[in-house]
Amino acid sequence: MRVVIAEDAVLLREGLAGLLERFGHTVLAAVGDASALVEAVTEHRPDAVVTDVRMPPGFADEGLRAALELRGKDPGLAVLVLSQYVEQTYAAELLDSEGGAGIGYLLKDRIGDVREFVDALDRVAAGGTVVDPEVVRQLLRRRRDPLQRLTPREQEVLALIAEGRSNASVARELFVTEAAVAKHIAGIFTKLDLPPAPDNHRRVLAVLAYLRA
């Protein structure tokens, strides 16, 4: 995979580059600000971008806004955002772009291990969606009233399936059967008035459609 990295912290930037190269990926550029990110992607046309949210010059949400700009120009560009916090407005907009395909949003301090991170990038580059559960919880909190349509258990299932988890994984996390998970998912689809989707992103699309409601 051909990757461009944007991270203002030099040690982390170099660490990410070395990590990805050890796993066989090619780092085309590793830059330290949002403008350089846009320039690098325009020049190299990578398969995926890994970017921080807070970037120079303002250290606000420059990296995330640059990711939105890049997705607007190239909807097929895979973007994995790493952040110390959830920037709700732009996060929702980014996750909503192109139906959420090829998008990831992970909190740095919740990445469990190296292989988990690389696997997340691989899934995003393949057109999947990977969302940190804390990101989902904060975004859903903005829609508190509509959430009342779901039971507490359905809300838990919704947060887990937004991570791209399988029914078996959700079942293990919640200590229930896969049949129970399937029933909860069917209930979520019904309560959110979502028709069955033909593609393998349908469960994440349920979350994104709910955010748009």
Side-chain angles (χ1 to χ4, degrees):
M1 187 192 317
R2 302 163 66 252
V3 184
V4 167
I5 297 171
E7 166 62 55
D8 63 284
V10 176
L11 290 179
L12 180 54
R13 183 169 71 238
E14 295 304 316
L16 287 171
L19 169 65
L20 293 178
E21 288 176 345
R22 285 200 302 274
F23 277 80
H25 301 311
T26 300
V27 177
L28 301 172
V31 300
D33 62 71
S35 296
L37 168 60
V38 174
E39 292 175 2
V41 170
T42 301
E43 177 182 353
H44 297 289
R45 308 190 71 82
D47 303 310
V49 165
V50 178
T51 183
D52 193 4
V53 169
R54 293 185 172 183
M55 302 279 286
F59 292 97
D61 50 23
E62 287 87 349
L64 192 50
R65 285 190 281 112
L68 279 168
E69 177 184 340
L70 292 169
R71 285 276 289 190
K73 294 177 180 177
D74 180 6
L77 177 66
V79 174
L80 176 58
V81 174
L82 301 179
S83 180
Q84 295 286 4
Y85 75 113
V86 181
E87 208 301 324
Q88 294 190 7
T89 301
Y90 288 111
E93 188 175 347
L94 179 67
L95 293 170
D96 201 32
S97 66
E98 294 303 307
I103 287 292
Y105 198 121
L106 300 178
L107 298 183
K108 292 178 180 178
D109 60 359
R110 293 171 58 88
I111 299 175
D113 55 45
V114 168
R115 190 166 295 279
E116 179 182 348
F117 164 70
V118 176
D119 177 65
L121 179 58
D122 288 342
R123 288 160 61 191
V124 168
T129 308
V130 180
V131 186
D132 190 288
E134 181 59 26
V135 175
V136 174
R137 279 191 286 270
Q138 291 198 32
L139 292 177
L140 289 179
R141 199 171 294 134
R142 302 171 64 206
R143 299 289 184 173
R144 178 59 61 188
D145 290 340
L147 255 187
Q148 293 178 359
R149 300 176 65 186
L150 306 182
T151 67
R153 176 61 86 184
E154 287 170 343
Q155 292 178 34
E156 290 180 303
V157 171
L158 183 59
L160 290 169
I161 64 176
E163 299 177 55
R165 295 202 190 196
S166 66
N167 285 15
S169 177
V170 173
R172 288 193 298 270
E173 179 74 19
L174 299 179
F175 301 102
V176 298
T177 65
E178 289 187 48
V181 171
K183 182 177 179 180
H184 288 312
I185 292 174
I188 291 168
F189 274 29
T190 298
K191 291 179 180 179
L192 299 184
D193 300 319
L194 294 175
D199 59 77
N200 61 358
H201 301 303
R202 63 190 174 91
R203 292 180 300 194
V204 175
L205 289 175
V207 176
L208 301 177
Y210 185 52
L211 293 174
R212 291 195 298 267

